[in-house]
Amino acid sequence: MASNPILVRLPQELDDLLNEKRGTQTRAAFLTAALARYLGVDDAAARIPKRGRPRKKVTSFSPEDPPAPEEMVPAETIEIPDIASLRTVSWKEITDSFPWYIGQDARRTLYVSDDGSFVWFSKEERYESTGTAIVDIIKKHGGYWDRDIGGSIASPDVLKAVKARALRARPAWSIRPMRERDTDRPFQIEVVEIARGWALIRFDRPTLVAAGGAARTEMIRLVGAMETSTPSPWCHDFQDEECLVSLPVPMTTARKLVKNWNSLHPVETKATVSDRAQQNAWRNQPVCIERDTGLVHVTVALANPLHRILLASTSGRVRPGTPVGPTATVTGNMWAEIAKTFAAMKVAVREHRKTTSRFDPKIANLSAIPGWEKPAENSYRFFAHQQDGIRFLLDREMRGILGDEMGLGKTGTAIGAAVGCRAQRVLVVAPANARWVWDREIRGWSGTDRIFHVEESLQDLTDLPDAGWAIVTYDVLTARSRKFTPPDAATASWLRAKLREAGHYRVRAAAEMPGKDRKSASQLAAEEGRDEGDGKFTPFHFDARINPEIGNVLRNLVMPAGRGISSQTMTLLHRMGRRLSSEMLHALMAWEPDVVFADEAHRIKNRDAGRTRAVRTLIEDRSRGAVLLTGTPLRNHGGEGASLIEAILPGASDRLAGTLAQGHRRSDRNAAQDAAVAEIFKTIMVRRLKADVLDLPDKIRQWVEIAPQGEALWHYDEVMDQILQTVGREIAGGATSGGIAKAIMGLLSSARKWLGLAKVANPGTVDLIDDVVEAKGACLVFAHHRAVIAELEKQLRKRGRSIVTVHGETPDRERADAEQMFQEGKVEIFLGSINAAGEALTLHRADTCVFVELDWVPAAMHQAEDRGHRAGQTAKGYHIISLLAHMPDRQNLDEYVAKVLIEKLANINTILDEKAGIAGRRIEGTDASVRSRVIAALMSEAQRTDVAKNTQVAAARKRARQRSKKQ
């Protein structure tokens, strides 16, 4: 008998799919494929089951499955809210709120079975007085006790005695039926599929807390598993703060997690699929990216769960309970991986390239650069590595770091890049000792003589050419602190009143360090311009770092009538104000240079220094070219590299460190900062080593022990005794390591000076230098202290040796003359200060250098020794001899410093991926302050323990002061 047909109304989307052309497919295959596309699963999942076999319900699929084509719905049909941040979950706050963890009333509960044959209470009460008494009652009357399952009751009288004991407790226990103790109550979790193969895990916080009240131990293990199973934090749902949600995870991962959690405590899983139209709206909302010198700045919509995949890779450092924002900075390689995930999820990406540079690399004519194909004015051609450096800077629109090792021609490379980008106005900021080196190199490589030297901070810039080169030193550019001593009481009184009126002392008082020695504004005013008798007055102190407006205050002072203030005094104050207000800096900015070169850029490593702020002010305009030149981008630690990066890409290192951090502890943040510096250096810095690009001789290092002698050794012993006494006295007074360092720093410097003089007093020191000159014809000698340099010069001249000397007070012209005389063979020995003579000099005539003293900073010694180990050195080996004091029966500062210098260099090598080393090899170790390590070596074990205790006490006091301020 024929049956009547059944009419079924199909969804419009499925009906459209079924009306498509079938092509060569069989009808069954066509129907299966259409059904799969409608359900959002693969063909196998939608295949019609055979008769008699139960149909398997498929709720998700692997992210590896190929995505099926989908019909996109315009994003504007569904509104996605705009939120500023998501608050991450603090799991400890949740476990701390478990009733059995802190709720004494919830713990003091006796559960009794319906037939009265069994009782149970919390493990935490087992060894408390009431719990112990109940167990004793049970055992005394023939029952048994098991801490996991409870105790058996032999008779109703025993149960009555147990209940009575529980009620006598203070506070009294509650007595409840055993059925309320449901330790196996499942905890509900919802797995929400947000896209094909991707899901969010969410649950209700009050439900979790309630489950923790029923089975505290199991639930704490479950929470711990939730916290550690995903590297990224969980967040509070922006729509419901009580709902906790994970960041997106692959569906396969979600399944594994739920299975693992279920083994710790029963988990009831609810699987849901987001609305199809909602998913399409999420996909259509674009992720915005901006490429910036090798980095990628990504902005997402936090309300869009598909966008949150970014947070899974970039929020490792977030402290639980703190918010995460919608932006992140990643490296190019990291973005490539994240972009693949977004592409697989069909999420739109919108790229915005912010280009404000004045230079277009495409129009650069490299062959027109002097020295590229034809010799430059100085008859030289660029080496291949210099040409690569010029291309690097041009490709990055003249914003980067030129970090080639000393002796590879960074100055010529920079000049070639400036000529190649057709810069009209170029400003060079350099140390005073490099000013004439730049003058010579500019003339030689560019062929121009339009070079203007800024020699004084108040210099008239009328003759500054519209197009050309300007050279200024760091000292001229920087607004330094100043002192003014009043000539008489009238001037002191008038100036003090003017400074009070301008609020100068209020600003200084606010900047005073907190503590018992902190001074008020009135106290600071009373100390300045005070009459000390005999016509002498205490000076006024001005510092633009503390009060940025002090320069304008001084330059705008008006001479009062009838007060007896001299015109010379007013002129002096006005000039001082002009310097403090950085008049030269603003004048050079008004010149609008196209490119700024900062030579020896490691001098701007201190973020708070005046010279750092001045250079950053010059190059903060991203349209302006800015190139930092330094052969030692890291002299001590990774933080110095971060300061260089901050000048070129403000905020980039901190943002990337936040992305790379594996945790929120200080050690995690420090490791992430070093990793960020290393990653960004790969994109904005070109650095080549001499061993890689030049055929230079190997460095041959040798430690030579010299026994200190003479009266200087007696002075050294005396100062070392004072140091040890001061250390003991400071420790007894509760000083921390920082306080001890401050107390003995002057003594430590004095001890180093006397030790250097004691080594020079040994004739073996001068004999060694004399032997080198006799055998090689020339020698470089470096020391740290002026007194040591003077004594060496005196003794070497007695031996009849010709010598030139360069130290911190040597004028620039004399430096250049000393370099020329040594290179031309007119003198045998170049004697210089490690720091002053360690930059901007070429001394490759000598193949041996001798360090009579050691410096605190390993990079300073490397810079000094590389004055001779550079292009033009033709010897088969370059010898570096360091003199080390031999004092087996004394405290040996040389030994302490040498050990720590090697360890400091290891950290620098790790970040730069190099193998330089004071000891001639790379040594593993961590970065540390040389001074603090030397001070620690001077203390006994007991003293170090006392210092640690003092530090803890000081930290506790600081926290107490902070709490009192908040109250």
Side-chain angles (χ1 to χ4, degrees), residues 259-498:
K259 182 178 179 181
N260 177 47
W261 298 342
N262 193 52
S263 66
L264 300 174
H265 185 83
V267 174
E268 184 178 289
T269 307
K270 177 184 177 183
T272 59
V273 180
S274 300
D275 179 77
R276 188 178 186 81
Q278 179 70 75
Q279 289 188 24
N280 287 339
W282 289 338
R283 291 190 182 101
N284 283 348
Q285 186 176 28
V287 172
C288 298
I289 69 168
E290 179 182 335
R291 298 186 184 272
D292 185 5
T293 322
L295 300 178
V296 181
H297 306 301
V298 189
T299 303
V300 298
L302 293 176
N304 188 332
L306 300 186
H307 285 199
R308 295 183 199 171
I309 191 67
L310 173 75
L311 303 182
S313 305
T314 61
S315 55
R317 76 177 177 96
V318 177
R319 184 182 296 276
T322 57
V324 292
T327 61
T329 297
V330 297
T331 64
N333 293 335
M334 292 176 64
W335 169 246
E337 295 300 319
I338 297 172
K340 290 179 182 178
T341 304
F342 281 138
M345 300 167 70
K346 298 184 178 178
V347 176
V349 176
R350 180 184 299 161
E351 180 172 350
H352 172 64
R353 181 175 178 84
K354 186 177 181 181
T355 303
T356 59
S357 176
R358 310 178 186 186
F359 310 107
D360 184 358
K362 297 178 182 178
I363 66 172
N365 185 4
L366 298 179
S367 60
I369 300 175
W372 193 276
E373 293 181 352
K374 299 179 181 180
E377 188 75 17
N378 54 15
S379 303
Y380 293 146
R381 285 191 177 94
F382 288 115
F383 289 106
H385 73 271
Q386 289 178 298
Q387 293 181 344
D388 291 340
I390 293 173
R391 292 191 189 97
F392 178 90
L393 294 176
L394 293 176
D395 288 343
R396 280 155 183 78
E397 299 172 344
M398 294 300 289
R399 288 189 74 89
I401 301 175
L402 190 54
D404 289 338
E405 195 176 10
M406 288 79 69
L408 292 184
K410 291 187 295 296
T411 305
T413 301
I415 296 169
V419 174
C421 73
R422 302 179 183 179
Q424 296 299 306
R425 293 176 296 278
V426 183
L427 176 63
V428 177
V429 184
N433 54 35
R435 186 157 60 93
W436 294 104
V437 174
W438 273 92
D439 184 286
R440 181 183 67 236
E441 294 293 295
I442 292 169
R443 296 177 190 275
W445 285 110
S446 71
T448 184
D449 58 357
R450 291 184 298 175
I451 304 173
F452 186 87
H453 285 263
V454 182
E455 300 178 346
E456 208 272 324
S457 58
L458 300 181
Q459 183 176 340
D460 185 6
L461 300 185
T462 303
D463 297 332
L464 187 62
D466 291 337
W469 294 69
I471 303 175
V472 63
T473 66
Y474 286 104
D475 292 338
V476 170
L477 196 64
T478 306
R480 298 184 177 276
S481 59
R482 304 284 177 177
K483 290 195 301 184
F484 170 73
T485 302
D488 50 51
T491 302
S493 176
W494 167 77
L495 181 58
R496 188 187 303 110
K498 287 295 181 181

Side-chain angles (χ1 to χ4, degrees), residues 746-789:
L747 292 172
L748 204 58
S749 177
S750 178
R752 292 178 63 213
K753 180 191 73 173
W754 288 118
L755 183 59
L757 289 171
K759 286 190 288 186
V760 174
N762 187 330
T765 299
V766 179
D767 288 343
L768 185 148
I769 299 171
D770 203 39
D771 291 343
V772 170
V773 175
E774 192 70 29
K776 303 291 186 71
C779 182
L780 304 179
V781 182
F782 293 101
H784 179 75
H785 292 92
R786 285 285 308 278
V788 176
I789 294 173

Side-chain angles (χ1 to χ4, degrees), residues 515-559:
K516 61 181 181 180
D517 296 330
R518 184 171 183 173
K519 297 176 182 177
S520 65
S522 58
Q523 289 174 321
L524 292 172
E527 289 180 352
E528 297 188 336
R530 186 178 64 245
D531 190 350
E532 293 186 314
D534 297 331
K536 296 181 179 178
F537 297 85
T538 56
F540 288 85
H541 296 83
F542 308 118
D543 193 335
R545 293 174 300 178
I546 297 176
N547 184 4
E549 294 299 320
I550 186 60
N552 293 328
V553 172
L554 296 179
R555 67 188 299 176
N556 293 325
L557 288 174
V558 178
M559 180 183 292

Side-chain angles (χ1 to χ4, degrees), residues 62 252 435 661 675 724 771 819 869:
S62 168
T252 53
R435 186 157 60 93
L724 297 178
D771 291 343
E819 175 188 21
H869 192 256

Side-chain angles (χ1 to χ4, degrees), residues 115 142 218 220 300 359 417 528 583 602 615 624 832 956:
D115 59 3
E218 293 81 358
I220 286 181
V300 298
F359 310 107
E528 297 188 336
E583 184 177 282
H602 49 265
V615 171
R624 178 174 294 150

Side-chain angles (χ1 to χ4, degrees), residues 427 429 472-480 545 579 581-586 588-589 593 596 598 603-604 606-621 624 628 647:
L427 176 63
V429 184
V472 63
T473 66
Y474 286 104
D475 292 338
V476 170
L477 196 64
T478 306
R480 298 184 177 276
R545 293 174 300 178
R579 288 190 173 95
S581 59
S582 302
E583 184 177 282
M584 180 56 68
L585 173 63
H586 293 96
L588 291 173
M589 289 180 64
V596 177
R603 291 172 176 250
I604 64 170
N606 185 346
R607 299 187 181 194
D608 299 325
R611 66 177 63 170
T612 303
R613 293 202 303 270
V615 171
R616 289 186 183 179
T617 300
L618 280 171
I619 66 178
E620 63 183 357
D621 182 356
R624 178 174 294 150
L628 309 183

